[in-house]
Amino acid sequence: MWRSGSNSDVTCIACGAEIPRSDAREYDKEGDRWGERDRDFEFLCKPCYQDCCHQPRRGLEDDLVRAGAGHANQEEFLAAYHEVITGDDAGRGREQERE
């Protein structure tokens, strides 16, 4: 949904840069930006958006949450993420779906 005031500044969730909304790209962790009304989006600056992988990501958000994304330091997160995607049958199934 387009909202008035869309020229305000937003923060890139990847690098933290403050950029005008008009220079940002919407990021929707659900992957379906038109599927729900009154949704709040997060934003990426154009360079971070271009660096993103635009492949299907079924199950990725759940895996990131289970691995402590945003709450653990990088070393802890990477170890936990590796365990999430290789440590149980459900993780291995999602990993194979992404290939």
Side-chain angles (χ1 to χ4, degrees):
M1 169 194 276
W2 186 82
R3 296 177 188 186
S4 61
S6 63
N7 289 327
S8 62
D9 286 349
V10 295
T11 302
C12 174
I13 60 172
C15 71
E18 292 288 324
I19 51 175
R21 168 63 188 96
S22 59
D23 289 339
R25 297 292 179 253
E26 291 177 344
Y27 171 77
D28 176 23
K29 67 183 179 181
E30 302 298 324
D32 178 15
R33 60 183 277 185
W34 305 112
E36 294 182 22
R37 297 179 150 260
D38 299 324
R39 202 178 232 187
D40 289 326
F41 292 97
E42 296 173 303
F43 300 93
L44 294 164
C45 64
K46 288 179 183 178
C48 289
Y49 179 79
Q50 291 169 348
D51 287 344
C52 288
C53 174
H54 297 281
Q55 299 299 316
R57 57 189 190 268
R58 185 178 331 137
L60 177 59
E61 285 292 326
D62 292 334
D63 289 346
L64 293 173
V65 169
R66 288 176 50 208
H71 301 287
N73 67 43
Q74 184 176 8
E75 185 176 333
E76 293 169 341
F77 167 72
L78 292 174
Y81 182 73
H82 183 265
E83 180 62 32
V84 165
I85 63 170
T86 62
D88 62 70
D89 291 337
R92 279 193 293 277
R94 283 189 299 279
E95 184 179 27
Q96 289 171 352
E97 286 176 2
R98 289 186 200 115
E99 294 177 353

